[in-house]
Amino acid sequence: MNPFPKLLEECLNDTKHVECAAIFVAKTGDVKAASNLTVCPEQTQMFLDAFKQVNLTRQTGLNFRNKHYTCEGHGLILVRTAFYVIVATYSQSMYPSICVEAVEKLAEYLREKGK
């Protein structure tokens, strides 16, 4: 049984401060679970490339779901573990700090479980 949809629901969506989220395999880009969005291979590659060029990503931002996200403006969170990448967004009515904390805690859980 795939545990990732339940993890997204319990760890992220239940906070009410995550608009949409996905977990995908860092090496292959295969999506393990997604909530309120569909992630295509080009988007997973864009997220993986963002980690390869962190300074450029911080300067130029990312286009995702018809929005331009920057490190200072819109709410897009990317966290990478050894095996997975977690992406989450938040809207203006949500608290960014809660979204960030929830994504980081999920990443830590995945690191501890060796998943």
Side-chain angles (χ1 to χ4, degrees), residues 3-20:
F4 295 102
K6 187 175 181 180
L7 285 172
L8 285 182
E9 183 66 30
E10 292 178 356
C11 297
L12 301 183
N13 294 341
D14 284 355
T15 69
K16 306 293 187 220
H17 292 278
V18 175
E19 182 178 42
C20 63

Side-chain angles (χ1 to χ4, degrees), residues 68-113:
H68 185 75
Y69 292 93
T70 64
C71 286
E72 299 170 357
H74 301 84
L76 175 73
I77 312 297
L78 281 174
V79 176
R80 182 178 178 148
T81 70
F83 300 108
Y84 300 102
V85 174
I86 304 166
V87 59
T89 65
Y90 57 87
S91 67
Q92 288 183 330
S93 64
M94 298 173 176
Y95 289 109
S97 59
I98 295 174
C99 183
V100 169
E101 182 180 3
V103 172
E104 288 178 348
K105 283 184 178 182
L106 176 55
E108 186 60 32
Y109 172 82
L110 293 174
R111 285 182 191 108
E112 288 176 7
K113 296 297 179 185

